[in-house]
Structure formats: C-alpha cells, structure tokens
C-alpha cells in the first residue's frame, strides 16, 4: 500500500493554464505538506496543514492555493502557470509526536513542466 | 533562520569502500534530524531519523550520528554497493523541516 500518493506523476501544460495536483495519505497522520524541488534539486517547504488548517505558508505566490478537504488529503491548485513554476512538487505527511517532532513521509513527486 | 549544509556535494567511490557524508546546521534548537535517499526521478525515502535526545541510529549498513550542540550529523555507509548510488539528503526539524542541498553519491562497480 502506498503511504503518500500524488497524482499526476507528470504534468506538462502551457503558460497561463490552471492545474491541480492531488495528494492522499493513508497513514492516519494529522499534518500534510507541499514541498517544491527546483532545478538545483533544493527542497523547500511551501505549505503545511494540520488537521485541515493552514499552519505554514512560506511566502508562496497567491497563485498557489492548497486545499485540504479532510486530513488525509491535501491538494495543490496553481493558477496562471508561469515558466518558473516548472519543478518537482512533493507532498508529505507526518504525525506530531510532541518533543520528538515528527518523521516525514514523502510521495513520489509530480514533475510539472510549463511550456 | 535555519540553514543546512551538506558536504561533499558529490562523491564517487569504488564498490566496497566505507564512506561518510556530512551535514551541518546553524540552529541547534531542533526536534530531530532525518536522512533521506532520493533516486533519480523518484521520491524521497526516509533512511534514519535521530531524535534530538539521541546520539546515533543504525539501520543495516547505515549509521547516523548527531551532535546537536555543534550542529553536526554524519551518515556512515559501510561496504558501499552500486545500489547505494543516489542523492542523500539531510533535513532538520524545528518549526518546519529544512533540507540541505544533498550529496550525490556514485558507487562504481
């Protein structure tokens, strides 16, 4: 069973389009994340949701809008796509364990190419 | 602001060698440190997680150490194999998970 699954795996689209990436986790975790990995392979957090509530928003353009219908799903909608949005987007989840923090589990990534 | 640095950026070794990957971080107020593996075009696989109160963790041929006070961690890989070739990422968790840029490892057969 896939713990954190994202769809689609690949997404090629034209500039100006609107697209969505879906993420689901079956681990029962209470926190979900979106990360962006740029062309230099650097991973940076974009958003974090805990029990469907936004807790981290890392100065991401408001063209990016995460939506969490329930704590097992966190979808990413992107409006008016730009060339610079081309990257690999990773979804992740974790379960807060108090003073020990949380081990993060990642999906396989969605490679977005904007042409 | 937490910054994570990984050295070396790339490493090429012959099969069978023992090797060490280094990770340093600037803010010691962390809950844990995780080492991940990323294969080309693939997602991240968690290798080891060290809680802030721990000094090391072991899994098979992998051993990770943590010195929180000095802001350092090492990942030791024993008897390296071609299948170990991948990018290894270090990440520390404070109020969020912050990643290093990774070490690209190539093990030659």
């Amino acid at each position: 069973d896939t713990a954190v699954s994202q769809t689609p795996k690949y997404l090629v689209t034209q500039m100006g389009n609107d697209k969505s990436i879906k993420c689901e986790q079956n681990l029962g975790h209470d926190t979900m994340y979106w990360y962006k990995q740029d062309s230099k392979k650097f991973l940076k957090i974009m958003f974090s949701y805990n029990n469907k509530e936004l807790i981290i928003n890392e100065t991401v353009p408001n063209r990016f809008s995460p939506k969490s219908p329930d704590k097992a799903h966190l979808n990413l909608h992107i409006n008016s796509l730009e060339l610079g949005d081309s990257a690999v987007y990773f979804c992740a989840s974790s379960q807060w364990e108090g003073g020990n923090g949380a081990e993060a589990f990642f999906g396989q990534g969605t490679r977005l190419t904007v042409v | 602001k937490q910054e994570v640095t990984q050295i070396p950026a790339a490493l090429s070794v012959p099969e069978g060698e023992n090797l060490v990957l280094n990770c340093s971080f600037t803010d010691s107020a962390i809950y844990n440190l995780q080492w991940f593996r990323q294969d080309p075009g693939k997602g991240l696989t968690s290798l080891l997680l060290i809680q802030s109160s721990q000094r090391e963790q072991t899994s098979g041929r992998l051993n990770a150490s943590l010195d929180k006070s000095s802001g350092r961690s090492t990942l030791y890989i024993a008897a390296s194999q071609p299948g170990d070739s991948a990018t290894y990422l270090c990440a520390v968790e404070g109020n969020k998970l912050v990643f290093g840029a990774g070490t690209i490892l190539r093990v030659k057969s």
Side-chain angles (χ1 to χ4, degrees):
Chain A
D1 270 350
T2 303
V4 182
S5 59
Q6 304 177 221
T7 55
K9 188 172 180 181
Y10 300 98
L11 183 54
V12 181
T13 187
Q14 290 187 326
M15 277 196 315
N17 283 351
D18 303 339
K19 290 293 178 186
S20 292
I21 306 172
K22 295 185 176 182
C23 179
E24 176 181 4
Q25 55 96 3
N26 62 6
L27 298 167
H29 289 167
D30 57 8
T31 305
M32 295 185 72
Y33 313 81
W34 278 107
Y35 285 81
K36 179 179 181 181
Q37 187 172 43
D38 60 25
S39 57
K40 295 181 180 177
K41 307 299 184 187
F42 203 65
L43 265 163
K44 286 190 71 174
I45 191 166
M46 300 172 67
F47 300 103
S48 171
Y49 268 72
N50 180 271
N51 283 317
K52 304 194 300 175
E53 290 194 19
L54 180 67
I55 56 174
I56 292 177
N57 181 340
E58 286 285 307
T59 59
V60 178
N62 58 15
R63 296 183 295 103
F64 290 78
S65 54
K67 286 189 170 46
S68 182
D70 56 61
K71 74 174 193 176
H73 295 83
L74 180 63
N75 304 322
L76 184 64
H77 188 75
I78 314 170
N79 289 328
S80 303
L81 278 155
E82 301 176 357
L83 292 176
D85 297 332
S86 297
V88 182
Y89 292 84
F90 285 98
C91 177
S93 73
S94 66
Q95 179 66 33
W96 181 252
E97 295 177 6
N100 291 328
E103 183 175 7
F105 293 82
F106 282 75
Q108 292 298 296
T110 296
R111 181 173 295 277
L112 171 65
T113 303
V114 182
V115 298
Chain B
K1 177 187 170 186
Q2 180 74 270
E3 292 183 1
V4 181
T5 303
Q6 290 188 244
I7 294 173
L11 182 62
S12 183
V13 300
E15 182 177 5
E17 270 203 10
N18 303 326
L19 56 100
V20 175
L21 308 182
N22 297 290
C23 172
S24 61
F25 47 96
T26 56
D27 185 350
S28 62
I30 63 170
Y31 293 110
N32 61 57
L33 182 145
Q34 268 187 272
W35 282 95
F36 293 88
R37 168 184 174 142
Q38 185 175 23
D39 292 282
K42 299 287 179 63
L44 278 70
T45 302
S46 180
L47 297 173
L48 290 164
L49 179 143
I50 313 176
Q51 309 289 8
S52 62
S53 58
Q54 297 174 324
R55 298 285 291 184
E56 66 176 344
Q57 283 285 342
T58 298
S59 175
R61 293 182 295 107
L62 305 179
N63 175 276
S65 68
L66 174 63
D67 184 341
K68 200 174 86 158
S69 60
S70 68
R72 295 180 189 275
S73 175
T74 60
L75 178 66
Y76 176 82
I77 303 177
S80 59
Q81 303 171 357
D84 294 331
S85 299
T87 297
Y88 290 80
L89 295 161
C90 164
V92 296
E93 184 181 17
N95 62 355
K96 59 186 177 184
L97 198 60
V98 179
F99 282 83
T103 293
I104 301 171
L105 172 64
R106 180 180 169 220
V107 181
K108 298 172 288 187
S109 56

